[in-house]
Amino acid sequence: MAIQSMISITIEAFALIVSILISVSLIVQKRWERIDKVVLWMVSFTVLLLFNDILAYNYRGNTSSFARCIVRISNFGVFAINYLMLMGYGMCLRIYTKTKSKIQILCFRAVSVGIWISLIMLIISQFSNFLYYFDSDNFYHRGKFYLLTQFVPILGGIIYFGIIIANRKNIQRNELIALNVYLVLPFIGTLLQSFIYGYPIQTIACVLGCWGLYFSREVGIRNQLSKSLETGREKQNKLEKALSVVNEQYSVLKSMSEIFYSMHLIDLTNDSIKEFNAKNEIKETLNNPFGAVKMMADVISKVTSEDYKTAALNFTDLNTISDRMQNKKIISEEFIGNRLGWYRAQFITIENDAEGRPVKIIFTTQGIDEEKRQRDLLIKKSQTDELTGFYNRRAYEEDIVKYKDEQIGNDFVYISLDVNSLKKVNDTLGHVAGDELIVGACECMKRAFGDSGKLYRTGGDEFVSIISAGEKQLKKVLNNFEEITKNWSGNLVESLSVSYGVVTRKENPDISIDKMAIIADQRMYSQKREYYQRKGIDRRNSQQDRVRGLDNNIISDPL
């Protein structure tokens, strides 16, 4: 296989993997708004585009009947999918601009018609070879009218750019950048491809532009989430201010009740409940002819799951609510309901007695499943290292605090790890290779330690694994780790080496976890020095060792 083909296949194979991961991410997130469906469609087309291009490069020059068939089908697929992706881009642009201009709508339709005409010409070319053809050695060549294949993409790009300019004030900044990037990259790629071929310039440009649309959508969703949280906080503040002065203005409360799953006024003096809003399962229970205390207990028992029922009953106990809410405006807690999912139960004081105890309160329930999911997602992201997927330094420090307060068992194992030669790889091969080395090391760690505990990235090339393992199991895990790292190889980096230091609770039953970490670091750096000595690398002036100040004088090794 020619070097040109090998380079092209390698680049496209990497892009294919990324596009597949993005497609899976979109499907798993289950966002089915129209723009999400269009972006998923376009990313899925990049998978097909790259796959067809890889087949074309792989089989060209092969004169077997099967290879000739594959090359023709894959080249046809590359052209056709590029046209369909341009159509998908037009759909994205139309969604983002929300244009109602008849001229702009006519422009969108004109580009779509041009795409369909190009597809028809492409089909005709399979029998006439006027756009492109294949020689006797099964190599692709441009036909006399090849430039017609680029006419619609170039003209369509110009039309779309004009629409973007006309609607730029109505498009969010991240969306505007992504839309322009998608146009500029394929436009440049199309121009270059018109004069230089043999490399997948136009294909990769289209794929990168499509990724830009995906990342723009992710940024947009994150911005929407931030705005929603801010809006929620503003609504909560407004609610507290309104309730402090509303008192007997029940008409205002009635209008506010629409945002809640249920809302009731409870008169603790008369043991009565007045409904402002309630769904069927709550309405049926509260229609029973009992006092407020009995009705509240019945409805909470009915709607709350068994795991949360006791806590919910204690929180909503009207016999104790006066004492618990003395001099308080609002209290709330969150529980899981049988049908509601996560819900927030909330008491709001609207009238107090002379001692500051509530005599009239508002009780509300509100479904917060989506809010809870988004909150958990933000917490997870804040504790996760973006490159490796491991827990980050923040999560590590939080867990260490927990370990200080807990009894640590004899199977507790602390492992300090450091990737060898990362700086050398960064300096000689570049940071992309350095990232590959880090990710490769993390894959090895995950395979070896992932099932036994947690993995943290605490620094650039520094990692910690905290696992539970007995003596025999630990030996097996470490041997497995060494075997995995020994057999690893990457695209840019041939091999990797990881120095590590291990400390078990069994060998150090009386020292703190902080001292265990220091000992583990000492052992890791001792192993690291041995590694560089074997390799003949002088690291006596290593800034990293000086900063850590780890030597045998800090703490005596119990071994």
Side-chain angles (χ1 to χ4, degrees), residues 276-551:
F276 284 98
N277 178 41
K279 305 301 180 183
N280 288 337
E281 57 183 324
I282 294 179
K283 187 185 292 287
E284 292 169 2
T285 305
L286 290 178
N287 279 338
N288 293 328
F290 302 114
V293 174
K294 170 66 175 172
M295 285 191 285
M296 177 64 76
D298 286 349
V299 72
I300 294 301
S301 296
K302 182 176 180 179
V303 303
T304 309
S305 67
E306 288 296 327
D307 292 340
Y308 286 81
K309 187 174 293 184
T310 300
L313 287 171
N314 289 334
F315 176 73
T316 57
D317 185 357
L318 297 183
N319 290 315
T320 62
I321 194 69
S322 293
D323 291 332
R324 288 186 287 127
M325 289 196 71
Q326 186 174 8
N327 297 320
K328 294 180 181 178
K329 290 184 178 181
I330 185 170
I331 61 172
S332 65
E333 283 194 22
E334 297 170 357
F335 311 100
I336 295 181
N338 294 322
R339 279 188 266 173
L340 269 174
W342 277 101
Y343 74 92
R344 180 181 294 117
Q346 187 169 249
F347 287 107
I348 305 165
T349 300
I350 63 170
E351 186 177 331
N352 291 326
D353 62 15
E355 296 179 352
R357 290 185 174 85
V359 293
K360 288 185 180 180
I361 54 178
I362 294 291
F363 175 70
T364 67
T365 59
Q366 185 177 15
I368 57 169
D369 246 3
E370 180 63 19
E371 177 187 331
K372 193 81 172 176
R373 189 183 71 80
Q374 295 291 352
R375 189 193 310 166
D376 291 344
L377 180 62
L378 287 175
I379 292 172
K380 182 179 179 181
K381 285 185 176 180
S382 72
Q383 294 181 335
T384 304
D385 177 66
E386 186 175 357
L387 176 64
T388 64
F390 284 8
Y391 289 104
N392 59 19
R393 181 84 191 186
R394 175 181 178 180
Y396 168 77
E397 291 174 350
E398 289 176 356
D399 285 352
I400 289 297
V401 172
K402 293 177 184 177
Y403 285 125
K404 290 178 181 179
D405 297 332
E406 296 174 359
Q407 185 69 28
I408 299 176
N410 284 334
D411 61 347
F412 180 90
V413 181
Y414 186 104
I415 307 173
S416 176
L417 306 103
D418 196 295
V419 180
N420 293 325
S421 299
L422 176 61
K423 186 177 185 304
K424 180 181 178 182
V425 170
N426 282 330
D427 292 344
T428 58
L429 300 179
H431 284 82
V432 173
D435 287 348
E436 181 187 65
L437 183 65
I438 290 174
V439 172
C442 290
E443 290 173 356
C444 297
M445 295 177 201
K446 187 174 182 180
R447 288 175 60 189
F449 307 123
D451 293 336
S452 302
K454 286 186 172 183
L455 287 156
Y456 309 86
R457 186 184 184 191
T458 56
D461 56 358
E462 300 163 0
F463 300 86
V464 171
S465 178
I466 296 177
I467 64 174
S468 297
E471 187 175 345
K472 292 183 178 179
Q473 183 186 358
L474 177 59
K475 184 176 181 181
K476 182 179 179 181
V477 167
L478 294 175
N479 288 338
N480 185 35
F481 176 61
E482 292 182 355
E483 186 67 23
I484 293 170
T485 55
K486 179 180 178 182
N487 295 325
W488 182 89
S489 64
N491 294 323
L492 302 175
V493 185
E494 294 182 356
S495 62
L496 66 80
S497 171
V498 179
S499 297
Y500 62 86
V502 181
V503 179
T504 67
R505 188 59 167 174
K506 187 175 181 180
E507 66 170 324
N508 299 279
D510 300 322
I511 66 174
S512 67
I513 190 169
D514 290 332
K515 290 185 178 179
M516 290 181 71
I518 293 174
I519 295 174
D521 274 355
Q522 287 178 336
R523 294 176 178 177
M524 179 271 292
Y525 274 98
S526 176
Q527 189 180 103
K528 197 174 187 73
R529 283 191 293 271
E530 293 175 2
Y531 168 81
Y532 284 111
Q533 287 172 0
R534 289 196 306 272
K535 295 292 183 178
I537 302 173
D538 185 6
R539 297 182 76 250
R540 286 175 297 177
N541 295 322
S542 169
Q543 183 180 6
Q544 188 177 39
D545 286 346
R546 290 201 307 271
V547 171
R548 282 185 164 269
L550 294 174
D551 55 41

Side-chain angles (χ1 to χ4, degrees), residues 169-182:
K169 294 182 179 179
N170 301 324
I171 306 174
Q172 294 183 15
R173 184 171 179 271
N174 59 294
E175 296 167 353
L176 187 63
I177 292 173
L179 289 169
N180 281 310
V181 167
Y182 185 91

Side-chain angles (χ1 to χ4, degrees), residues 123-184:
I123 294 172
I124 295 174
S125 179
Q126 305 307 303
F127 307 99
S128 62
N129 298 330
F130 75 98
L131 293 179
Y132 62 86
Y133 64 92
F134 301 91
D135 61 20
S136 58
D137 293 325
N138 201 24
F139 278 92
Y140 163 91
H141 296 280
R142 296 173 180 172
K144 293 181 180 180
F145 299 98
Y146 167 80
L147 291 179
L148 289 177
T149 63
Q150 309 302 316
F151 178 74
V152 170
I154 292 175
L155 181 60
I158 294 172
I159 291 173
Y160 285 155
F161 183 72
I163 293 174
I164 291 173
I165 295 298
N167 294 275
R168 62 188 182 279
K169 294 182 179 179
N170 301 324
I171 306 174
Q172 294 183 15
R173 184 171 179 271
N174 59 294
E175 296 167 353
L176 187 63
I177 292 173
L179 289 169
N180 281 310
V181 167
Y182 185 91
L183 281 183
V184 171

